[in-house]
Amino acid sequence: MTSVDPHAEARFSPLHQAHVELGASFTDFAGWQMPVRYSSDLAEHHAVRTNAGIFDLSHMAEIRVTGPDAGTYLDYTFAGQLSAIALMQAKYSLLLNEAGGIIDDVVVYRLGDTEFLVVANAGNRFPAVEAMQARSARFDVTVVDESDDVALIAVQGPNSRSILNETAGFAAGGDMISLRYYRAMNGAFNGTPLFIARTGYTGEDGFEVYVPVAHALALWEAIMSAGEAYDLVPAGLASRDTLRLEAGMPLYGHELTLTTYPAQAGLGRVVNLAKDTDFIGRAASEEGPSATAPVLVGLIAQGKRAGRAGYDIYGTVDAAEPSGEITSGALSPTLGYPIAMAYVTPALARLGTEVYMDVRGTRIPATVASLPFYSRKK
């Protein structure tokens, strides 16, 4: 759910001209004109899995929380115990409404004792900021939406660290090889401060670099230049979607919605009911979804015909009524067979259960499988 005005003027990344020059095709995403592909979805996907790809994620939302009550405030505002994360650690969390539904899924970084950075989805920027600011009234904190001032560049894939290390003007504030997953460090680009996180949304090793908008284009070009020796490719939203699907990562608006309980999406562990403080959505989370509520599963099929978002799932080949719906699906570029995530009735959720995807009028058998479909070798 977003508050984007469909009649508002399109927004453009600070890297837009670079994308045009690279021959990108564009798509509207939460009001932004963002690259969907440059060459081919498959080539960009495989590049990230085997080598490296560079993504423009400048449409994402960055919200800074500062003040003496920052940790306590975040524990009340989000479903996790964010006050407990260490300095320069990141944590995945959920912003819930009173009914226990998901307003957004976010990544939260601890920048200091009383300073945090919350990264929200582009389409949920305004609902997230509105909810966060409304919940701040009882705390000594300041909540500032910095999204318009920050660009985000992600380098993902096995060669991502080498490329960044060889980028002219780029200086990490520590040893990037020892930076653990979901940890961050400060850095600089030609003297301009950067924030560098070992995070991503592709299932591969990689880094996300937060840079002031005025310096984004120069950094992008420097990374692209350093990446020539490694065959670095620019990658668009289409390959990002198949990469995250293979990695079993949920996408807001598909697997996560305002009416989805975290437990239905396999995210019950993200909701910390053990913390001794109240949080928005706690009572509803304690009650949980009904016993018959649909649950998220992975699906694997044979052949080449993939189920897509919105396609119905049936319990038998001749069932009259659907028992579920696909939320994301594709022919997996890495694995070579169709995969999907879907919500199905609990009776069909057991691993190994055979169900049927309605693919344009043909019911194709699929098997319930565990997530993720793909895990990188470490």
Side-chain angles (χ1 to χ4, degrees):
M1 299 295 174
T2 75
S3 61
V4 175
D5 181 355
H7 302 293
E9 290 186 12
R11 299 197 64 188
F12 297 92
S13 160
L15 304 172
H16 184 76
Q17 189 55 40
H19 303 318
V20 171
E21 292 172 2
L22 288 166
S25 299
F26 293 89
T27 187
D28 179 274
F29 189 89
W32 291 75
Q33 284 296 303
M34 298 301 293
V36 66
R37 68 183 58 81
Y38 299 83
S39 56
S40 80
D41 303 349
L42 285 176
E44 292 164 25
H45 180 109
H46 288 308
V48 174
R49 286 277 180 258
T50 61
N51 180 26
I54 182 171
F55 297 86
D56 177 10
L57 306 179
S58 298
H59 57 313
M60 298 291 281
E62 292 84 19
I63 307 154
R64 191 173 299 265
V65 177
T66 57
D69 292 344
T72 306
Y73 157 77
L74 289 171
D75 287 349
Y76 172 75
T77 299
F78 292 92
Q81 191 163 10
L82 300 172
S83 63
I85 63 177
L87 182 65
M88 289 299 185
Q89 181 182 0
K91 190 175 182 67
Y92 178 81
S93 196
L94 298 169
L95 181 65
L96 304 181
N97 57 25
E98 289 282 6
I102 302 169
I103 297 173
D104 199 16
D105 62 329
V106 302
V107 175
V108 181
Y109 299 90
R110 185 170 207 145
L111 308 182
D113 289 342
T114 60
E115 184 177 8
F116 295 79
L117 178 67
V118 178
V119 181
N121 286 295
N124 290 331
R125 170 186 174 181
F126 300 112
V129 170
E130 181 181 2
M132 290 178 63
Q133 289 180 337
R135 298 174 191 188
S136 70
R138 55 188 282 190
F139 299 93
D140 186 3
V141 294
T142 302
V143 177
V144 179
D145 180 2
E146 299 182 343
S147 307
D148 292 336
D149 301 322
V150 179
L152 176 55
I153 297 172
V155 185
Q156 299 281 296
N159 288 325
S160 56
R161 180 175 54 84
S162 297
I163 291 168
L164 286 174
N165 277 336
E166 295 179 27
T167 296
F170 181 89
D175 183 5
M176 291 178 67
I177 196 170
S178 63
L179 185 66
R180 290 184 292 161
Y181 187 53
Y182 261 60
R183 297 296 192 276
M185 63 172 58
N186 292 312
F189 175 64
N190 293 333
T192 298
L194 301 176
F195 184 66
I196 306 162
R198 198 163 196 168
T199 49
Y201 194 57
T202 63
E204 292 300 330
D205 190 16
F207 299 84
E208 295 181 316
V209 183
Y210 296 81
V211 57
V213 162
H215 302 272
L217 181 58
L219 177 60
W220 173 277
E221 292 175 342
I223 295 172
M224 288 288 290
S225 180
E228 288 180 4
Y230 295 90
D231 296 323
L232 173 70
V233 304
L237 294 180
S239 62
R240 182 172 161 86
D241 191 49
T242 51
L243 289 159
R244 69 91 193 168
L245 173 58
E246 290 182 344
M249 296 177 172
L251 177 64
Y252 198 91
H254 289 248
E255 288 72 43
L256 309 178
T257 71
L258 279 172
T259 58
T260 305
Y261 282 88
Q264 291 178 263
L267 298 175
R269 68 191 183 281
V270 179
V271 182
N272 190 340
L273 294 175
K275 62 182 178 180
D276 58 7
T277 57
D278 192 20
F279 62 91
I280 299 295
R282 177 166 193 143
S285 297
E286 288 175 336
E287 182 177 349
S290 71
T292 59
V295 293
L296 187 68
V297 299
L299 297 177
I300 292 175
Q302 301 301 312
K304 299 297 182 182
R305 298 189 67 184
R308 305 290 181 179
Y311 287 11
D312 286 331
I313 298 294
Y314 291 85
T316 64
V317 70
D318 56 358
E321 297 295 328
S323 297
E325 183 178 299
I326 292 175
T327 53
S328 299
L331 178 62
S332 167
T334 303
L335 304 172
Y337 49 76
I339 59 174
M341 288 193 279
Y343 278 99
V344 300
T345 59
L348 297 178
R350 182 176 299 178
L351 294 180
T353 300
E354 185 173 74
V355 298
Y356 292 84
M357 308 183 299
D358 190 314
V359 180
R360 297 182 179 178
T362 301
R363 295 193 182 179
I364 295 176
T367 303
V368 174
S370 59
L371 297 170
F373 302 105
Y374 164 88
S375 295
R376 69 182 178 90
K377 295 178 180 178
K378 298 182 181 179

